[in-house]
PDB file of all heavy atoms in Angstrom:
ATOM      1  N   PRO A 196     -13.565 -22.347  12.758  1.00 98.00           N
ATOM      2  CA  PRO A 196     -14.663 -22.796  11.895  1.00 98.00           C
ATOM      3  C   PRO A 196     -15.050 -21.730  10.860  1.00 98.00           C
ATOM      4  O   PRO A 196     -14.469 -20.645  10.843  1.00 98.00           O
ATOM      5  CB  PRO A 196     -15.802 -23.006  12.904  1.00 98.00           C
ATOM      6  CG  PRO A 196     -15.514 -22.024  14.003  1.00 98.00           C
ATOM      7  CD  PRO A 196     -14.013 -21.945  14.090  1.00 98.00           C
ATOM      8  N   CYS A 197     -16.025 -22.061  10.022  1.00 98.00           N
ATOM      9  CA  CYS A 197     -16.493 -21.098   9.023  1.00 98.00           C
ATOM     10  C   CYS A 197     -17.016 -19.845   9.713  1.00 98.00           C
ATOM     11  O   CYS A 197     -17.500 -19.901  10.845  1.00 98.00           O
ATOM     12  CB  CYS A 197     -17.598 -21.706   8.161  1.00 98.00           C
ATOM     13  SG  CYS A 197     -16.984 -22.904   6.976  1.00 98.00           S
ATOM     14  N   ARG A 198     -16.912 -18.734   9.024  1.00 98.00           N
ATOM     15  CA  ARG A 198     -17.387 -17.445   9.526  1.00 98.00           C
ATOM     16  C   ARG A 198     -18.513 -16.926   8.650  1.00 98.00           C
ATOM     17  O   ARG A 198     -18.784 -17.467   7.578  1.00 98.00           O
ATOM     18  CB  ARG A 198     -16.245 -16.428   9.530  1.00 98.00           C
ATOM     19  CG  ARG A 198     -15.171 -16.741  10.556  1.00 98.00           C
ATOM     20  CD  ARG A 198     -14.282 -15.563  10.746  1.00 98.00           C
ATOM     21  NE  ARG A 198     -13.315 -15.789  11.809  1.00 98.00           N
ATOM     22  CZ  ARG A 198     -12.443 -14.893  12.193  1.00 98.00           C
ATOM     23  NH1 ARG A 198     -12.398 -13.701  11.614  1.00 98.00           N
ATOM     24  NH2 ARG A 198     -11.593 -15.150  13.150  1.00 98.00           N
ATOM     25  N   LYS A 199     -19.111 -15.845   9.096  1.00 97.00           N
ATOM     26  CA  LYS A 199     -20.195 -15.218   8.344  1.00 97.00           C
ATOM     27  C   LYS A 199     -19.698 -14.705   6.996  1.00 97.00           C
ATOM     28  O   LYS A 199     -20.369 -14.841   5.977  1.00 97.00           O
ATOM     29  CB  LYS A 199     -20.780 -14.068   9.173  1.00 97.00           C
ATOM     30  CG  LYS A 199     -21.955 -13.379   8.541  1.00 97.00           C
ATOM     31  CD  LYS A 199     -22.470 -12.263   9.459  1.00 97.00           C
ATOM     32  CE  LYS A 199     -23.242 -11.255   8.641  1.00 97.00           C
ATOM     33  NZ  LYS A 199     -23.429  -9.989   9.321  1.00 97.00           N
ATOM     34  N   GLU A 200     -18.497 -14.101   6.990  1.00 98.00           N
ATOM     35  CA  GLU A 200     -17.921 -13.570   5.752  1.00 98.00           C
ATOM     36  C   GLU A 200     -16.479 -14.047   5.593  1.00 98.00           C
ATOM     37  O   GLU A 200     -15.772 -14.215   6.574  1.00 98.00           O
ATOM     38  CB  GLU A 200     -17.918 -12.034   5.765  1.00 98.00           C
ATOM     39  CG  GLU A 200     -19.291 -11.411   5.715  1.00 98.00           C
ATOM     40  CD  GLU A 200     -19.219  -9.901   5.612  1.00 98.00           C
ATOM     41  OE1 GLU A 200     -19.082  -9.251   6.664  1.00 98.00           O
ATOM     42  OE2 GLU A 200     -19.267  -9.386   4.471  1.00 98.00           O
ATOM     43  N   THR A 201     -16.079 -14.232   4.348  1.00 98.00           N
ATOM     44  CA  THR A 201     -14.714 -14.655   4.060  1.00 98.00           C
ATOM     45  C   THR A 201     -13.753 -13.493   4.287  1.00 98.00           C
ATOM     46  O   THR A 201     -14.052 -12.350   3.935  1.00 98.00           O
ATOM     47  CB  THR A 201     -14.619 -15.175   2.612  1.00 98.00           C
ATOM     48  OG1 THR A 201     -15.444 -16.358   2.515  1.00 98.00           O
ATOM     49  CG2 THR A 201     -13.196 -15.522   2.221  1.00 98.00           C
ATOM     50  N   GLN A 202     -12.601 -13.806   4.884  1.00 98.00           N
ATOM     51  CA  GLN A 202     -11.593 -12.800   5.208  1.00 98.00           C
ATOM     52  C   GLN A 202     -10.211 -13.405   5.000  1.00 98.00           C
ATOM     53  O   GLN A 202      -9.960 -14.533   5.397  1.00 98.00           O
ATOM     54  CB  GLN A 202     -11.766 -12.390   6.670  1.00 98.00           C
ATOM     55  CG  GLN A 202     -10.710 -11.467   7.218  1.00 98.00           C
ATOM     56  CD  GLN A 202     -11.025 -11.078   8.655  1.00 98.00           C
ATOM     57  OE1 GLN A 202     -12.039 -10.460   8.935  1.00 98.00           O
ATOM     58  NE2 GLN A 202     -10.154 -11.459   9.573  1.00 98.00           N
ATOM     59  N   VAL A 203      -9.318 -12.643   4.370  1.00 98.00           N
ATOM     60  CA  VAL A 203      -7.935 -13.058   4.156  1.00 98.00           C
ATOM     61  C   VAL A 203      -7.052 -12.146   4.999  1.00 98.00           C
ATOM     62  O   VAL A 203      -7.166 -10.923   4.904  1.00 98.00           O
ATOM     63  CB  VAL A 203      -7.546 -12.946   2.663  1.00 98.00           C
ATOM     64  CG1 VAL A 203      -6.094 -13.341   2.450  1.00 98.00           C
ATOM     65  CG2 VAL A 203      -8.478 -13.798   1.798  1.00 98.00           C
ATOM     66  N   GLU A 204      -6.191 -12.737   5.829  1.00 98.00           N
ATOM     67  CA  GLU A 204      -5.284 -11.959   6.665  1.00 98.00           C
ATOM     68  C   GLU A 204      -3.853 -12.170   6.186  1.00 98.00           C
ATOM     69  O   GLU A 204      -3.349 -13.292   6.194  1.00 98.00           O
ATOM     70  CB  GLU A 204      -5.424 -12.353   8.135  1.00 98.00           C
ATOM     71  CG  GLU A 204      -6.779 -11.982   8.711  1.00 98.00           C
ATOM     72  CD  GLU A 204      -6.909 -12.262  10.190  1.00 98.00           C
ATOM     73  OE1 GLU A 204      -5.891 -12.160  10.916  1.00 98.00           O
ATOM     74  OE2 GLU A 204      -8.031 -12.589  10.622  1.00 98.00           O
ATOM     75  N   LEU A 205      -3.229 -11.070   5.746  1.00 98.00           N
ATOM     76  CA  LEU A 205      -1.864 -11.084   5.238  1.00 98.00           C
ATOM     77  C   LEU A 205      -1.033 -10.067   6.014  1.00 98.00           C
ATOM     78  O   LEU A 205      -1.581  -9.110   6.547  1.00 98.00           O
ATOM     79  CB  LEU A 205      -1.835 -10.691   3.752  1.00 98.00           C
ATOM     80  CG  LEU A 205      -2.662 -11.513   2.781  1.00 98.00           C
ATOM     81  CD1 LEU A 205      -2.618 -10.880   1.389  1.00 98.00           C
ATOM     82  CD2 LEU A 205      -2.165 -12.950   2.723  1.00 98.00           C
ATOM     83  N   SER A 206       0.273 -10.257   6.031  1.00 98.00           N
ATOM     84  CA  SER A 206       1.136  -9.185   6.529  1.00 98.00           C
ATOM     85  C   SER A 206       1.180  -8.120   5.443  1.00 98.00           C
ATOM     86  O   SER A 206       0.813  -8.371   4.284  1.00 98.00           O
ATOM     87  CB  SER A 206       2.544  -9.716   6.809  1.00 98.00           C
ATOM     88  OG  SER A 206       3.217  -9.993   5.590  1.00 98.00           O
ATOM     89  N   LEU A 207       1.631  -6.925   5.782  1.00 98.00           N
ATOM     90  CA  LEU A 207       1.734  -5.870   4.769  1.00 98.00           C
ATOM     91  C   LEU A 207       2.734  -6.253   3.682  1.00 98.00           C
ATOM     92  O   LEU A 207       2.523  -5.960   2.499  1.00 98.00           O
ATOM     93  CB  LEU A 207       2.097  -4.540   5.421  1.00 98.00           C
ATOM     94  CG  LEU A 207       1.001  -3.947   6.313  1.00 98.00           C
ATOM     95  CD1 LEU A 207       1.510  -2.703   7.033  1.00 98.00           C
ATOM     96  CD2 LEU A 207      -0.259  -3.640   5.510  1.00 98.00           C
ATOM     97  N   THR A 208       3.816  -6.942   4.050  1.00 98.00           N
ATOM     98  CA  THR A 208       4.784  -7.407   3.057  1.00 98.00           C
ATOM     99  C   THR A 208       4.131  -8.408   2.110  1.00 98.00           C
ATOM    100  O   THR A 208       4.303  -8.329   0.885  1.00 98.00           O
ATOM    101  CB  THR A 208       6.016  -8.036   3.741  1.00 98.00           C
ATOM    102  OG1 THR A 208       6.641  -7.055   4.562  1.00 98.00           O
ATOM    103  CG2 THR A 208       7.013  -8.560   2.720  1.00 98.00           C
ATOM    104  N   ASP A 209       3.381  -9.366   2.666  1.00 98.00           N
ATOM    105  CA  ASP A 209       2.656 -10.337   1.830  1.00 98.00           C
ATOM    106  C   ASP A 209       1.747  -9.623   0.842  1.00 98.00           C
ATOM    107  O   ASP A 209       1.736  -9.931  -0.354  1.00 98.00           O
ATOM    108  CB  ASP A 209       1.767 -11.247   2.694  1.00 98.00           C
ATOM    109  CG  ASP A 209       2.524 -12.320   3.445  1.00 98.00           C
ATOM    110  OD1 ASP A 209       3.696 -12.588   3.126  1.00 98.00           O
ATOM    111  OD2 ASP A 209       1.912 -12.909   4.360  1.00 98.00           O
ATOM    112  N   ALA A 210       0.956  -8.688   1.356  1.00 98.00           N
ATOM    113  CA  ALA A 210      -0.027  -7.989   0.519  1.00 98.00           C
ATOM    114  C   ALA A 210       0.665  -7.247  -0.623  1.00 98.00           C
ATOM    115  O   ALA A 210       0.259  -7.357  -1.785  1.00 98.00           O
ATOM    116  CB  ALA A 210      -0.860  -7.028   1.369  1.00 98.00           C
ATOM    117  N   ARG A 211       1.715  -6.495  -0.299  1.00 98.00           N
ATOM    118  CA  ARG A 211       2.441  -5.753  -1.350  1.00 98.00           C
ATOM    119  C   ARG A 211       3.024  -6.693  -2.385  1.00 98.00           C
ATOM    120  O   ARG A 211       3.027  -6.401  -3.575  1.00 98.00           O
ATOM    121  CB  ARG A 211       3.555  -4.900  -0.730  1.00 98.00           C
ATOM    122  CG  ARG A 211       3.046  -3.653  -0.067  1.00 98.00           C
ATOM    123  CD  ARG A 211       4.207  -2.741   0.397  1.00 98.00           C
ATOM    124  NE  ARG A 211       3.707  -1.817   1.390  1.00 98.00           N
ATOM    125  CZ  ARG A 211       3.948  -1.883   2.686  1.00 98.00           C
ATOM    126  NH1 ARG A 211       4.715  -2.834   3.167  1.00 98.00           N
ATOM    127  NH2 ARG A 211       3.436  -1.010   3.511  1.00 98.00           N
ATOM    128  N   SER A 212       3.551  -7.830  -1.936  1.00 98.00           N
ATOM    129  CA  SER A 212       4.235  -8.744  -2.853  1.00 98.00           C
ATOM    130  C   SER A 212       3.298  -9.339  -3.899  1.00 98.00           C
ATOM    131  O   SER A 212       3.747  -9.687  -4.987  1.00 98.00           O
ATOM    132  CB  SER A 212       4.960  -9.851  -2.088  1.00 98.00           C
ATOM    133  OG  SER A 212       4.054 -10.794  -1.568  1.00 98.00           O
ATOM    134  N   ILE A 213       2.006  -9.450  -3.592  1.00 98.00           N
ATOM    135  CA  ILE A 213       1.064  -9.982  -4.594  1.00 98.00           C
ATOM    136  C   ILE A 213       0.152  -8.896  -5.162  1.00 98.00           C
ATOM    137  O   ILE A 213      -0.776  -9.197  -5.914  1.00 98.00           O
ATOM    138  CB  ILE A 213       0.235 -11.171  -4.045  1.00 98.00           C
ATOM    139  CG1 ILE A 213      -0.673 -10.767  -2.882  1.00 98.00           C
ATOM    140  CG2 ILE A 213       1.154 -12.335  -3.684  1.00 98.00           C
ATOM    141  CD1 ILE A 213      -1.708 -11.822  -2.518  1.00 98.00           C
ATOM    142  N   GLY A 214       0.411  -7.638  -4.808  1.00 98.00           N
ATOM    143  CA  GLY A 214      -0.348  -6.538  -5.402  1.00 98.00           C
ATOM    144  C   GLY A 214      -1.734  -6.336  -4.832  1.00 98.00           C
ATOM    145  O   GLY A 214      -2.680  -6.051  -5.560  1.00 98.00           O
ATOM    146  N   VAL A 215      -1.857  -6.463  -3.525  1.00 98.00           N
ATOM    147  CA  VAL A 215      -3.144  -6.264  -2.856  1.00 98.00           C
ATOM    148  C   VAL A 215      -3.011  -5.129  -1.844  1.00 98.00           C
ATOM    149  O   VAL A 215      -2.045  -5.089  -1.086  1.00 98.00           O
ATOM    150  CB  VAL A 215      -3.604  -7.549  -2.122  1.00 98.00           C
ATOM    151  CG1 VAL A 215      -4.884  -7.310  -1.339  1.00 98.00           C
ATOM    152  CG2 VAL A 215      -3.806  -8.689  -3.108  1.00 98.00           C
ATOM    153  N   ALA A 216      -3.976  -4.226  -1.839  1.00 96.00           N
ATOM    154  CA  ALA A 216      -4.021  -3.165  -0.828  1.00 96.00           C
ATOM    155  C   ALA A 216      -4.771  -3.703   0.385  1.00 96.00           C
ATOM    156  O   ALA A 216      -5.967  -3.941   0.309  1.00 96.00           O
ATOM    157  CB  ALA A 216      -4.725  -1.936  -1.389  1.00 96.00           C
ATOM    158  N   ALA A 217      -4.048  -3.918   1.478  1.00 98.00           N
ATOM    159  CA  ALA A 217      -4.646  -4.494   2.683  1.00 98.00           C
ATOM    160  C   ALA A 217      -4.573  -3.478   3.818  1.00 98.00           C
ATOM    161  O   ALA A 217      -3.505  -3.252   4.374  1.00 98.00           O
ATOM    162  CB  ALA A 217      -3.924  -5.775   3.079  1.00 98.00           C
ATOM    163  N   PRO A 218      -5.695  -2.861   4.172  1.00 98.00           N
ATOM    164  CA  PRO A 218      -5.664  -1.923   5.295  1.00 98.00           C
ATOM    165  C   PRO A 218      -5.458  -2.659   6.613  1.00 98.00           C
ATOM    166  O   PRO A 218      -5.806  -3.829   6.746  1.00 98.00           O
ATOM    167  CB  PRO A 218      -7.055  -1.279   5.248  1.00 98.00           C
ATOM    168  CG  PRO A 218      -7.925  -2.316   4.614  1.00 98.00           C
ATOM    169  CD  PRO A 218      -7.045  -3.027   3.623  1.00 98.00           C
ATOM    170  N   VAL A 219      -4.867  -1.964   7.588  1.00 98.00           N
ATOM    171  CA  VAL A 219      -4.702  -2.534   8.928  1.00 98.00           C
ATOM    172  C   VAL A 219      -6.033  -2.391   9.644  1.00 98.00           C
ATOM    173  O   VAL A 219      -6.532  -1.281   9.834  1.00 98.00           O
ATOM    174  CB  VAL A 219      -3.577  -1.818   9.705  1.00 98.00           C
ATOM    175  CG1 VAL A 219      -3.477  -2.358  11.125  1.00 98.00           C
ATOM    176  CG2 VAL A 219      -2.249  -1.961   8.963  1.00 98.00           C
TER     177      VAL A 219
END
């Protein structure tokens, strides 16, 4: 269901491929 805050979960490969810095 909906959460308090929006969050996007990507693999590190996904994040790099679209130019996003995603910390673990």
Side-chain angles (χ1 to χ4, degrees):
C197 286
R198 291 194 175 182
K199 183 179 158 197
E200 293 185 276
T201 296
Q202 174 177 298
V203 178
E204 293 184 32
L205 303 174
S206 72
L207 292 174
T208 300
D209 284 345
R211 284 187 199 106
S212 74
I213 64 168
V215 176
V219 176

